[in-house]
Amino acid sequence: MRILLDLQACQTSGSRNRGIGRYSMSLALAMARQARGRHEIIIALNGRFPDTIVPIRQAFDGLVEQDNIVVYDVPGPLLEFDPSLAWRRRAAELARETFFASLNPDVVHVTSLFEGWGDDAVTVIGHLEHRFIRTITLYDLIPLIHKETYLTHAGSRALYYRKLQALKNAELLLSISEHSRREGIEALQLGEDQVVNISSAADDTFVTLDVSADDETALRARYKLHRPFLMYTGGVDYRKNIEGLIEAYSLLPADVRAAYQLAIVCKMQEADMQRLSALAQKCGVGNGEVVFTGFVSEEDLLALYNLASLFVFPSLHEGFGLPVLEAMQCGTPVVGSNTSSIPEVIGRADVLFNPRDVHDIAAKILHVLQDKAFHDELVAYGYEQAKTFSWEASARRALAAFEGAHEQRKALPQLAVPVNLPRRKLAFFSPLPPEKSGIADYSAELLPELARYYDIDIISAQPAISDVWADANFPVRTLDWFEAHADRYDRVLYQFGNSMLHEHMFGMLRRHPGVIVLHDFFLSGIPDNLDFTGRVPGEFARTLFDSHGYRALADEQRLGRLNSIMGYPCNRRVLEDALGVIVHSRYSMQLANHWYGAGAAKEWRHAPLLRTAPATIDRRAARAALGIPDDAFLVCSFGLVAPTKLNDVLHDAWMKSALAADPRCRLVFVGENDTNEYGQKLGAAIAGSTAAARASITGFVPQETYRLYLAAADMAVQLRSNSRGETSASILDCLAYGLPAVINANGSAAEIPDDVVIKLDDLFSPEQLRAALEQLWRDAALRGELGARAAAYVHTHHNAGTVGRIYHEAIESFSQTSEGAGYRRLLGALAAIDVTPAPAPSAEDLRLVSTSIAANRPRKQPRQLLVDVTALRQADPDAPDGIAARQMLAALLESPARGYRVEPYYNDGAQLRHARQFTLS
């Protein structure tokens, strides 16, 4: 599972240094330890609290990948107490939830929901359609249970109840005690399995401590604790019952009070201190008997726990009661209330008192102070009781709860789509026959399968379509028509290849995002052609830099344009504009990870290339149609003749093999010859060979003729070098027709199982190729076995029904989870916000929200290494230091760290700017 932990509780001033913040951090760290090797943890932080980000990153260093600690932006300020900011707050919640969804988590856990009254915390999720499970930590419902005390202010009451609804809407709550679990179930009318008790723990910093005499003297002087003392720590509000503790202390015999001070250890407003001091005086407690320490450091708190004679916890209502556990871990005996969760923590009845009965409190205190054996027993008991609580145990319970919820979600039956609902409308961009393109032929085969799921319009830049099926079933729309009516379509699918037949799709994709099918990973030929023909001057350099940075520009200058076309994919913009990417091979995913960093293709989908085998293959009729004798042994190589297809290597191996000496053997290259020097040399070699009549190049052939050769051949040889991510349709065609084939393990061809072809090494020797030719020629049984296995493989893995279903699932998944789809949902939700009678959004609200949405876009490009060249731009270029610095910068640009893009920048006195002109020069 991908588990996203929202750790704003560790960021806000109201929580980060208090119990909720410490609880959230400790639990998250334990979950990260427990999840290693099982689940992926993502930590989400609010960028409005910048000072907290580095410490939290450091805390998780080594436990969570730094790339998995993400920072999102929200527009601010967002203060809940200001009603004029209502629209902005709702917009911030939508922007944050959209950002979370873009990370494709299985679970989103909010560690503290009730934040944001006086700061820029944003905690509510659930406004948008989502696929993740929402979970929230349930500490307590004290304000709801005691609303007459805590919810008297109309604004804070509205905030609390709005967040209660978010709590109720969550699929799972993690309570910190069994008491808070029961409280959640009963107060919110939740199901028994909707709230899971994961308990709590105290930090392992709370231990027994040998406080030196000097340190103890200094500590006691600092807090005016001149004799043994009873201790309380926690908050000051009504439910903490400090008033009851002071009254109970006043009931102790005078000699006991003379022997033991009462230390109230907590941060306190001056008004509270005066009020409680007045109460002590009213109760007859003398000066110095009750000490109010005010705020104490963590170090001093630990020492005070260790020095206290007794810890007293008189709270009326707690979600857990963490100070009780901290005291026990420090070896301090504890007495506490018999209410809410406190009995769970203490674990024995004989040290519990009724917090509303001051005489009962005083009696329990006196028992411990006057009975040394009982005192010592409680010290030993406390150590053992504390061991039953641990963060590791709480983390295990939390992860188990997540796993259970995830399994339940997966087990839910998929709702059938009612047959009377209109089907989704799909715009299909692709070349189609009669264009001379493998993608055109492929699309003609794919359309009938997609039509099982969608109503399809073909969006075409070509003047006519000759495929009978497509023409009969699918309306053809022009590009201009689509631009004017794009809002009619629910889904858009682009078939992308590296030819000018796809040129128009680049701009269309940017304006009308959709799912792309990446037939060729390298798309460098298109910007090159636009530049070369003068239609878009400079397009290749712009695309090269946009995708690959300064190093690629330097390579082109040094090695030439052709090297850059062959060496750089130039496809980053297309990948970023796409809602989702479908590829036909795992190799394309490997290329994405190589060029754009590990995980670049994490969300891509693999759909096998659709191939259909003929119902029957009439070999004799095919040969008759082609004029090939029945007794001929026909070896074919299919596809365009090109240097990357190694046609010349095949011809040389053929001429050196025994097949060339047999007049019955023929080698046919079925495809259009290269028009450049390579094709001319191959043609001359064939014409000048002694077996000229038995080796030939057909030139371009229509589909019908192509299929005749597939049916007529005895074996096929399909070689490749310098694969650029394409999947060979011709190899799969050979397999579909049951042809025994020789291939080499280059690019996606390496993924074809070894038992259905003769697979040579990627960099095979001519001798290995010759031996493979002769082996298949001589071994009819082997040809039969390979052909049968090949046909069965294509039928199982590449059949039309399977591929159509995978396409449909991928398109629908991308429509729900992709960034673009989430962005469209976000816009709709922003438009629907109604905070009447609060004011409508101002121009400033819209600007701030837009900025946050832009900042939250997932980064798809490689990391950037920013190099400050402010001084270098101004330095004397001929000075030794300037020369050395330029050389260092040039080295960085030439050899960036793997996965990084070097970007020089400078400070113009007002802001940071890219130093593009300086760097290019």
Side-chain angles (χ1 to χ4, degrees):
M1 290 187 300
R2 287 166 63 86
I3 301 170
L4 186 151
L5 303 178
D6 168 32
L7 286 192
Q8 280 179 106
C10 305
Q11 296 187 273
T12 64
S13 59
S15 293
R16 68 173 179 257
N17 295 319
R18 299 179 61 194
I20 287 178
R22 292 199 301 270
Y23 182 98
S24 299
M25 177 62 78
S26 297
L27 179 63
L29 288 168
M31 290 175 69
R33 291 191 293 269
Q34 293 279 337
R36 279 189 292 189
R38 297 167 51 207
H39 305 297
E40 181 182 7
I41 297 292
I42 301 169
I43 304 296
L45 302 176
N46 185 336
R48 301 290 298 179
F49 304 93
D51 294 344
T52 66
I53 293 170
V54 170
I56 294 174
R57 283 190 178 278
Q58 292 171 340
F60 286 91
D61 191 31
L63 289 175
V64 175
E65 292 289 336
Q66 286 297 308
D67 283 352
N68 275 17
I69 302 177
V70 297
V71 180
Y72 57 87
D73 188 81
V74 292
L78 295 169
L79 315 172
E80 285 276 2
F81 67 74
D82 186 346
S84 70
L85 299 173
W87 187 91
R88 188 185 298 177
R89 283 195 295 272
R90 299 297 189 277
E93 291 171 356
L94 292 169
R96 170 174 169 269
E97 185 171 347
T98 299
F99 173 75
F100 285 178
S102 74
L103 301 173
N104 291 324
D106 296 300
V107 174
V108 171
H109 181 67
V110 176
T111 55
S112 180
L113 182 67
F114 296 94
E115 307 275 356
W117 177 248
D119 57 32
D120 292 332
V122 182
T123 61
V124 173
I125 55 176
H127 298 297
L128 300 169
E129 180 183 352
H130 57 80
R131 297 165 70 100
F132 55 77
I133 297 166
R134 294 166 294 172
T135 73
I136 302 172
T137 301
L138 174 61
Y139 297 96
D140 59 66
L141 292 175
I142 290 169
L144 179 63
I145 306 301
H146 305 285
K147 58 175 88 56
E148 68 286 350
T149 300
Y150 292 98
L151 298 179
T152 57
H153 184 277
S156 60
R157 182 169 61 247
L159 166 65
Y160 189 81
Y161 275 88
R162 190 167 79 85
K163 297 203 174 186
L164 278 181
Q165 185 62 54
L167 199 67
K168 187 175 175 64
N169 292 350
E171 284 83 4
L172 178 69
L173 304 181
L174 302 183
S175 71
I176 64 171
S177 67
E178 182 58 27
H179 173 79
S180 67
R181 174 177 179 269
R182 295 308 320 168
E183 198 168 75
I185 290 170
E186 293 164 9
L188 300 177
Q189 296 83 50
L190 300 175
E192 291 282 338
D193 59 350
Q194 200 173 342
V195 190
V196 174
N197 173 21
I198 65 168
S199 194
S200 185
D203 288 346
D204 54 13
T205 55
F206 291 99
V207 294
T208 54
L209 191 70
D210 289 327
V211 182
S212 70
D214 289 344
D215 287 344
E216 180 177 349
T217 299
L219 184 77
R220 288 182 177 277
R222 188 153 57 245
Y223 297 115
K224 300 178 181 179
L225 295 170
H226 306 303
R227 52 189 186 270
F229 60 91
L230 318 178
M231 177 178 169
Y232 160 82
T233 190
V236 184
D237 70 45
Y238 144 81
R239 67 184 171 89
K240 295 299 184 178
N241 196 28
I242 297 176
E243 295 85 351
L245 176 58
I246 292 173
E247 288 187 50
Y249 176 78
S250 73
L251 298 177
L252 296 176
D255 61 327
V256 174
R257 295 204 312 271
Y260 295 94
Q261 293 173 282
L262 172 62
I264 309 296
V265 181
C266 58
K267 183 178 179 180
M268 192 178 297
Q269 299 293 328
E270 182 64 29
D272 287 320
M273 190 176 298
Q274 291 179 0
R275 176 177 58 81
L276 293 173
S277 296
L279 174 64
Q281 289 181 343
K282 180 180 178 182
C283 293
V285 176
N287 290 334
E289 289 186 333
V290 176
V291 175
F292 302 101
T293 66
F295 173 78
V296 302
S297 66
E298 291 285 328
E299 182 180 2
D300 284 357
L301 178 63
L302 175 60
L304 290 169
Y305 271 133
N306 275 268
L307 294 173
S309 299
L310 176 65
F311 184 80
V312 188
F313 201 62
S315 179
L316 302 173
H317 197 150
E318 290 290 326
F320 181 79
L322 192 58
V324 170
L325 194 55
E326 292 172 348
M328 289 194 291
Q329 284 187 187
C330 293
T332 306
V334 173
V335 294
S337 300
N338 61 4
T339 60
S340 63
S341 61
I342 301 168
E344 292 177 54
V345 184
I346 294 179
R348 57 187 288 170
D350 57 350
V351 293
L352 301 178
F353 50 72
N354 179 353
R356 297 186 184 278
D357 184 342
V358 293
H359 294 279
D360 196 16
I361 300 173
K364 282 293 187 285
I365 293 172
L366 200 59
H367 183 190
V368 178
L369 295 180
Q370 293 183 337
D371 188 336
K372 186 176 186 309
F374 187 49
H375 174 281
D376 295 343
E377 179 188 337
L378 291 183
V379 171
Y381 169 79
Y383 284 134
E384 295 305 313
Q385 174 67 359
K387 291 177 184 177
T388 64
F389 300 88
S390 75
W391 290 119
E392 300 305 318
S394 292
R396 278 195 298 273
R397 296 184 191 109
L399 290 174
F402 292 165
E403 290 163 355
H406 185 54
E407 289 303 313
Q408 285 184 342
R409 172 69 63 86
K410 288 196 302 184
L412 289 175
Q414 297 297 315
L415 296 177
V417 178
V419 295
N420 59 340
L421 282 183
R423 299 201 308 164
R424 291 189 171 99
K425 197 163 185 63
L426 172 74
F428 187 90
F429 284 80
S430 179
L432 286 157
E435 295 290 1
K436 297 179 180 180
S437 160
I439 296 174
D441 298 332
Y442 170 83
S443 292
E445 291 188 69
L446 177 65
L447 276 167
E449 296 307 317
L450 289 180
R452 298 170 59 197
Y453 305 98
Y454 300 103
D455 286 335
I456 300 174
D457 284 1
I458 296 169
I459 315 300
S460 177
Q462 62 194 73
I465 291 174
S466 63
D467 184 81
V468 178
W469 190 307
D471 187 55
N473 285 280
F474 310 112
V476 179
R477 308 293 189 185
T478 66
L479 302 182
D480 289 342
W481 189 95
F482 176 79
E483 290 275 20
H485 302 88
D487 59 330
R488 295 188 179 187
Y489 296 91
D490 304 297
R491 308 286 185 260
V492 184
L493 183 69
Y494 296 89
Q495 302 284 338
F496 259 92
N498 189 28
S499 81
M500 296 312 294
L501 296 174
H502 305 266
E503 169 195 345
H504 60 283
M505 296 183 193
F506 286 72
M508 281 289 185
L509 178 66
R510 168 141 288 193
R511 294 188 296 277
H512 308 287
V515 176
I516 69 169
V517 183
L518 200 62
H519 291 266
D520 298 304
F521 185 81
F522 280 63
L523 300 177
S524 47
I526 297 174
D528 170 62
N529 191 278
L530 291 171
D531 192 357
F532 179 76
T533 59
R535 281 179 292 163
V536 188
E539 179 66 7
F540 185 77
R542 279 191 293 271
T543 304
L544 187 65
F545 174 75
D546 185 58
S547 291
H548 307 293
Y550 293 104
R551 177 182 180 177
L553 295 179
D555 278 351
E556 186 196 9
Q557 189 173 42
R558 184 175 61 252
L559 302 174
R561 173 67 62 88
L562 181 60
N563 176 81
S564 295
I565 294 170
M566 299 301 295
Y568 288 98
C570 296
N571 62 0
R572 186 177 74 90
R573 182 60 62 193
V574 169
L575 300 181
E576 287 196 357
D577 289 342
L579 292 186
V581 180
I582 297 173
V583 291
H584 298 310
S585 71
R586 308 289 180 190
Y587 179 62
S588 289
M589 296 180 175
Q590 294 171 15
L591 286 173
N593 292 333
H594 169 79
W595 284 103
Y596 302 118
K602 184 166 52 177
E603 308 301 334
W604 292 15
R605 293 297 187 93
H606 171 245
L609 193 72
L610 184 153
R611 290 290 94 182
T612 54
T616 60
I617 299 175
D618 190 334
R619 180 173 177 272
R620 178 168 293 181
R623 289 192 168 212
L626 294 170
I628 298 171
D630 285 345
D631 65 344
F633 187 83
L634 180 60
V635 180
C636 290
S637 182
F638 296 88
L640 292 171
V641 173
T644 56
K645 303 295 183 68
L646 303 178
N647 310 91
D648 55 342
V649 176
L650 172 57
H651 182 255
D652 289 345
W654 168 271
M655 294 303 300
K656 294 174 183 176
S657 73
L659 284 78
D662 187 331
R664 294 171 301 172
C665 294
R666 297 189 180 193
L667 171 64
V668 178
F669 294 97
V670 184
E672 188 170 8
N673 194 14
D674 179 66
T675 58
N676 297 312
E677 183 181 1
Y678 177 84
Q680 295 168 7
K681 286 185 176 180
L682 179 62
I686 290 174
S689 67
T690 57
R694 291 182 284 107
S696 61
I697 302 173
T698 65
F700 175 78
V701 297
Q703 273 291 307
E704 295 77 9
T705 307
Y706 175 82
R707 293 186 180 118
L708 286 173
Y709 274 104
L710 285 168
D714 291 289
M715 62 175 283
V717 182
Q718 300 296 132
L719 305 176
R720 185 69 204 230
S721 67
N722 297 319
S723 173
R724 303 164 82 209
E726 68 291 318
T727 298
S728 175
S730 54
I731 290 180
L732 294 173
D733 285 335
C734 295
L735 303 186
Y737 273 75
L739 281 180
V742 177
I743 69 171
N744 65 318
N746 181 261
S748 62
E751 299 170 24
I752 295 174
D754 294 345
D755 64 343
V756 302
V757 291
I758 290 182
K759 190 189 296 181
L760 306 178
D761 294 336
D762 182 13
L763 302 176
F764 60 89
S765 68
E767 177 57 31
Q768 288 174 318
L769 177 56
R770 183 196 62 77
L773 288 170
E774 293 180 350
Q775 179 186 16
L776 274 184
W777 173 50
R778 293 190 173 112
D779 194 337
L782 177 60
R783 293 200 304 272
E785 292 172 10
L786 286 178
R789 286 200 288 267
Y793 168 74
V794 172
H795 176 74
T796 301
H797 297 283
H798 296 267
N799 72 81
T802 297
V803 173
R805 175 179 53 78
I806 293 172
Y807 260 86
H808 176 243
E809 291 173 355
I811 293 169
E812 292 308 303
S813 176
F814 288 135
S815 75
Q816 296 297 318
T817 63
S818 71
E819 176 198 348
Y823 177 68
R824 288 201 301 274
R825 286 195 294 273
L826 172 59
L827 289 181
L830 288 171
I833 293 176
D834 182 2
V835 290
T836 307
S842 65
E844 179 68 358
D845 286 329
L846 298 177
R847 186 189 69 80
L848 290 170
V849 172
S850 299
T851 301
S852 294
I853 293 170
N856 289 340
R857 286 193 65 191
R859 192 213 310 259
K860 296 182 181 179
Q861 69 271 27
R863 295 168 173 168
Q864 296 183 87
L865 173 60
L866 301 180
V867 183
D868 184 352
V869 297
T870 305
L872 187 57
R873 291 175 70 249
Q874 301 165 350
D876 180 357
D878 297 322
D881 287 351
I883 293 172
R886 280 174 165 77
Q887 289 173 341
M888 184 193 304
L889 177 60
L892 275 173
L893 295 169
E894 287 281 335
S895 303
R898 184 65 173 268
Y900 281 84
R901 179 177 177 132
V902 176
E903 283 287 355
Y905 73 94
Y906 68 98
N907 190 330
D908 70 355
Q911 59 184 322
L912 303 182
R913 295 184 179 276
H914 285 292
R916 296 249 163 99
Q917 292 299 323
F918 170 78
T919 307
L920 289 171
S921 70

